[in-house]
Amino acid sequence: MLRRALTPLAVGTLVFLAGCLSENLTRSTDGPMYAVSDGAHHGNPDFFFLPPMFSNPNHDPNFEPAAFNGALRPAVEICELGAPAGDLTRSCISGVPIKRFAPSAVNVSLTDQQYSVNWDTKAQALDVNKFYRINVLVGSTVLGFADVDPVANGSQLKNVQTNEYIGLVDGRTLPIKFRIESGALCGSDGTPCAAKTINLAQGGGVDLVVPGEDFHFDVPTATQATAGDRAVTDVTFNLEKCESIDVDLPKFGQCLRVTALYDAPGAVLTFTQPILISMCSFVPVTEGQQELITLHQQDGDVIRALPHAHPNCNVIGAGESAPSGLLARSWHWMRDLASTLVTPGVLHAETRTTMLHLGGGGETTKTGATCTPPPSPVAHMALTTCTPASAAATPIPTFGHTISDFQFALPAKMDYVIPEDASRIAPPGPLPTAVKVTDWNGGAVQGATVTFTQPAIEGPGTVIGTAVSNSDGIAQVSWTIGVGSNMAVASGRGIAARNNFPTGVAVKPFMPDIFTAGAPQTPVVLGTGEVPFLATGVTPTALIACQTTGATGGDQLDRGFYIPTYPGTNLGRVEMFFSADAAGDFTVSLTARANTYDGTVIGTATAPVTLSADHNTFVQGTFDFSSAAFAPGSAVTFTLAQASGPSTVIFYKVPSLGNEACPIVQTNGTEAPLSTFRRNGVEIRVFETGN
């Protein structure tokens, strides 16, 4: 069933249930307050006490006749209530309860749709001057409770909520009867869920069907488990849909939350055999990456990539046995993929696409947040570290209670688009910075989230921006650098990078598989990948800076010019000034050649300029040659051409009388080797670096 919305009082009661504090109360007029909590008394809307303790709840708005869950193994405990606190509330005294009925002692009747246990009230020698609480638990989680008042040395009990006597069998035995409905363990209102208690030695499974997906959670027979140093034999597993696991990888399908409830200390459950998680009814993914999609598990801050497993899926929503024939053979091929590193052929890719429409699976031997760093890489797979995220997307497990979220994601790594971007010199101002995200086979990964941050000496630093990788795998932002040293870090949770791999091991996204060198593979904890960028802001100094002297004028683009002896070894950017007889947007191209007008092309760059209709008003155009290299001391020739614009009459700025101090020779034309001399000087600035 769906968990119904609770009143504010009931919300407070749920907080109480975890710690045995009396929040949902019936007030006594002359003394301490007592409490009862069930679906008829502002408590868990899917749990009800039954007669003789309370009247039949079958007319209560929360009661659902078809929702009884008889697959659980609850326990019943009776504790003594302590003295009232300052706000008159009471709680169980610490220590062992005065009576505990283990799950094996609690009877279930599918016909009567109830659980029951008989309490001999005289066996505990109840004190008429004290009060007691009856708790119903699954694992260590309380579903509901009722406070009682012993009268006449326990020969009678009074309900503190109604102040009425509770009928006892033979004057001493209280039948404790209660009803648990299917939503009793749901973690949030309105979320479909399914719960079942499984004896691990016998094995079993829990199924949950939600719109668009059929979840299966299967425990193999002869499984054992420990929590801390104590053996656990029975575990209640509750399945419900969740929002999403907290990774920056592209995610696929829906998120499944599995809550494990058990009666033992320790916040981690470790199983001797892998538990199978199957998500049936999947979504199509990019061709070529079908075989790479991997089930991930989140426990608190910890993210694990799980080994692939043959899912318990066949027909969508049917909950049938695992596939056979071609489908089973394709899964066997997928298990061998990571070990052999064979790129899938067309047949394999088509088969895998079919499987992903049916579903996929993964295996885990642990639920809980303990992170064990891997000692070393296994075979060809590089293992990541146990660095936790700053915030968890799932609740922190507590005593006898673990929470694990599962969802499919595409393993990926990230690196520089251009290796030289790791450390570069650039002029102060906006600076584009990017990483490329790729998969195991080096293919571009679309949909990964990358956060770019400027680190701080103390604290988390300043977020520059967040980018999602495009179809080419590129995630890019622009940040502003100042003069001197500037640093940015691109990071992604779960995305592999150099920082979380051992030295000397190739950076590869984790691609788990059932078999590695013939041995079962274990889940691997993923860290946060980081790619650092160092940018030194330097105000550029022009190698050549010619200004017009005296009267100025302009010449049309068919006149070339050259530098007889270039003073550097790289051609970065060139700044010139243009005008036109017509107003509009123009694009001008500038081509540089070595030594002669027909020499080897050093590079061609274009500059957009918006010009007015006044040919005496010049506007700067900038040509970026990306620091093109050539032999020092060479001559460099330049030819101009119009690439676009509303007019064919464009001028570039020159000193009409020449400028002997400028090492630029303007020519009448651009014929090889060097055209005839026209004048010295062009208004131009030449830099060795681009941007």
Side-chain angles (χ1 to χ4, degrees), residues 73 198-202 223-225 230-235 262:
R73 295 178 185 172
I198 295 177
N199 179 275
L200 301 180
Q202 298 174 2
T223 298
Q224 299 176 345
R230 182 183 298 182
V232 176
T233 57
D234 296 290
V235 179
Y262 48 93

Side-chain angles (χ1 to χ4, degrees), residues 35-37 49 53-54 132-135 144-148 159-160:
V36 57
S37 177
F49 283 109
M53 293 179 60
F54 293 93
Y132 300 87
R133 175 165 294 169
I134 301 170
N135 288 304
F145 61 91
D147 293 349
V148 293
N159 185 324
V160 299

Side-chain angles (χ1 to χ4, degrees), residues 68-81:
F68 177 69
N69 184 353
L72 302 177
R73 295 178 185 172
V76 176
E77 293 181 354
I78 294 95
C79 71
E80 178 186 325
L81 290 176

Side-chain angles (χ1 to χ4, degrees), residues 455-649:
I457 297 176
E458 295 182 1
T462 302
V463 174
I464 299 168
T466 299
V468 177
S469 58
N470 60 21
S471 58
D472 295 321
I474 304 298
Q476 177 175 299
V477 298
S478 181
W479 58 309
T480 301
I481 67 169
V483 176
S485 180
N486 301 265
M487 190 171 205
V489 176
S491 63
R493 185 165 192 217
I495 303 178
R498 177 73 276 155
N499 67 292
N500 49 29
F501 278 73
T503 302
V505 174
V507 178
K508 297 284 283 185
F510 180 67
M511 180 60 214
D513 193 73
I514 288 182
F515 297 108
T516 299
Q521 191 183 57
T522 58
V524 167
V525 177
L526 302 184
T528 297
E530 296 182 350
V531 177
F533 294 86
L534 178 63
T536 303
V538 176
T539 301
T541 301
L543 291 176
I544 298 173
C546 295
Q547 294 182 341
T548 56
T549 58
T552 61
D555 278 331
Q556 294 191 40
L557 303 185
D558 58 345
R559 301 187 188 278
F561 56 93
Y562 65 91
I563 304 171
T565 303
Y566 189 72
T569 58
N570 295 85
L571 179 61
R573 76 176 188 274
V574 175
E575 298 173 352
M576 298 181 64
F577 298 84
F578 300 92
S579 67
D581 283 341
D585 294 328
F586 296 80
T587 302
V588 181
S589 70
L590 180 65
T591 300
R593 291 181 171 85
N595 297 313
T596 64
Y597 280 114
D598 61 351
T600 302
V601 175
I602 298 170
T604 298
T606 59
V609 288
T610 300
L611 306 178
S612 66
D614 181 3
H615 67 81
N616 290 316
T617 301
F618 290 88
V619 175
Q620 178 180 311
T622 301
F623 304 88
D624 191 351
F625 287 90
S626 301
S627 302
F630 54 91
S634 302
V636 183
T637 64
F638 294 91
T639 56
L640 291 158
Q642 180 181 347
S644 65
S647 169
T648 59
V649 181

Side-chain angles (χ1 to χ4, degrees), residues 59 121 348:
H59 296 297
T121 60
H348 287 147

